[in-house]
Amino acid sequence: MNAFRIPAILEFEACLLMTMKLRVKMSHKEAELEAKLAEHGLSVDEAQRVHDRLALILGGEASYFQNTKKLMGADPAATSLEYTSVLWPGFYFKAIASEDGPLESARYWHNSRELADVESPIGLPIWSMDVTEFAERFGPMNGGRKWSLFDELLPAYEEYEFQWGEDSYGAGFSWGLFMFSAMSWD
């Protein structure tokens, strides 16, 4: 699946990871962010510089998909882009363009469906499953809020509500990757 250079994937994924930084901070999981980057020899500051540089290169909604293909060395005529993740082993990233060219969807998918054996959705490790896998494990999720792929603060972010036992919970995902789960309060 990886026809692309690992350094290009790593840079792109560091850029996407930094779009998750706000949600990571809100969940008090900065240590996990630092550890994920350190696994690949990057600091948060270095990853932020990569993000800032790539944000300029990739551009806005109209050019993002074309420029991502160019960054990765993909076929310029391709209408989708797919690769095995470097930052999140066991996941793959898939982006699809709309008929007129701009990016229509982009998210991570887990290669396997090894359902977690946990007492509660709270405490699952960050980035441990995708949206589909979470729904398979914890039951149907009610429509929540979805932010645009190009939202300034929370790009490609989704939140859902679901019932676990007798209680109501919420869960958040960024680029399709699990971020957090918490009991809802009224």
Side-chain angles (χ1 to χ4, degrees):
M1 185 182 303
N2 272 357
F4 309 120
R5 296 179 354 260
I6 299 298
I9 294 171
L10 182 57
E11 277 199 332
F12 183 69
E13 290 193 324
C15 180
L16 293 185
L17 178 57
M18 296 314 289
T19 69
M20 301 176 196
K21 187 176 166 185
L22 176 61
R23 185 66 248 184
V24 168
K25 279 186 163 189
M26 293 169 66
S27 300
H28 307 289
K29 296 181 179 176
E30 293 95 331
E32 286 88 336
L33 174 73
E34 292 171 8
K36 179 57 68 182
L37 290 167
E39 287 174 18
H40 299 279
L42 293 169
S43 69
V44 172
D45 289 340
E46 290 166 329
Q48 188 62 54
R49 284 192 291 277
V50 168
H51 172 270
D52 295 345
R53 182 174 52 80
L54 287 188
L56 292 173
I57 291 170
L58 298 176
E61 191 169 348
S63 63
Y64 192 93
F65 187 65
Q66 252 339 89
N67 290 336
T68 300
K69 290 188 296 184
K70 186 186 286 185
L71 173 74
M72 298 295 217
D75 176 358
T79 58
S80 68
L81 176 87
E82 188 173 332
Y83 65 82
T84 301
S85 178
V86 172
L87 282 184
W88 297 284
F91 288 85
Y92 67 94
F93 180 82
K94 186 169 187 176
I96 300 171
S98 64
E99 285 184 21
D100 53 346
L103 188 59
E104 183 174 274
S105 68
R107 71 178 333 149
Y108 285 91
W109 301 90
H110 208 179
N111 289 332
S112 65
R113 290 283 182 254
E114 295 177 22
L115 299 180
D117 184 26
V118 295
E119 302 268 332
S120 163
I122 295 176
L124 281 173
I126 190 170
W127 310 305
S128 60
M129 57 179 59
D130 66 25
V131 175
T132 304
E133 186 176 14
F134 189 92
E136 288 169 357
R137 175 63 180 98
F138 297 106
M141 295 189 297
N142 299 319
R145 293 182 55 192
K146 291 185 180 186
W147 284 254
S148 157
L149 294 171
F150 301 97
D151 187 82
E152 190 174 317
L153 296 175
L154 296 170
Y157 184 73
E158 306 169 50
E159 284 185 344
Y160 298 94
E161 293 180 2
F162 62 99
Q163 287 294 125
W164 180 251
E166 299 297 316
D167 297 311
S168 177
Y169 286 79
F173 302 85
S174 189
W175 297 99
L177 293 169
F178 174 77
M179 297 297 288
F180 79 96
S181 182
M183 188 179 287
S184 300
W185 55 89
D186 297 320

